[in-house]
Amino acid sequence: MIDTLATFADQVTTVAREVGVEGKLGGQASVPGAAGTWKDLTDNVNQLAANLTSQVRGHRRGRHGGHQGRPDALDQGRGPG
């Protein structure tokens, strides 16, 4: 259990640094052998990182000409939550 906690802490710290500080998108935590609450926590961290990545990529498409003059293709910044 101590090993799982150490791995979880290391992975969450890595994902947080990559996404939040370095701006690297797509980071995911991996905790081999995680089960129960540890697996749930890992899955939640990964879902958070995936949602952030998706939102940032969608925002970039909307701001960098991806809409090609089509107003219906603009990212209006509306989404869940």
Side-chain angles (χ1 to χ4, degrees):
M1 182 155 148
I2 303 277
D3 291 338
T4 301
L5 175 58
T7 301
F8 178 78
D10 181 59
Q11 289 292 300
V12 169
T13 299
T14 298
V15 169
R17 183 185 65 251
E18 287 178 355
V19 174
V21 176
E22 299 171 6
K24 294 181 184 176
L25 301 177
Q28 295 284 286
S30 174
V31 184
T37 301
W38 293 113
K39 183 173 180 343
D40 292 344
L41 288 168
T42 303
D43 291 345
N44 287 332
V45 166
N46 288 337
Q47 187 62 53
L48 176 82
N51 287 345
L52 181 59
T53 295
S54 177
Q55 290 173 8
V56 169
R57 287 183 176 156
H59 182 67
R60 285 182 181 171
R61 278 193 297 273
R63 290 192 50 184
H64 290 101
H67 57 85
Q68 298 178 342
R70 292 181 20 238
D72 60 319
L74 287 173
D75 180 2
Q76 300 296 318
R78 291 186 295 263

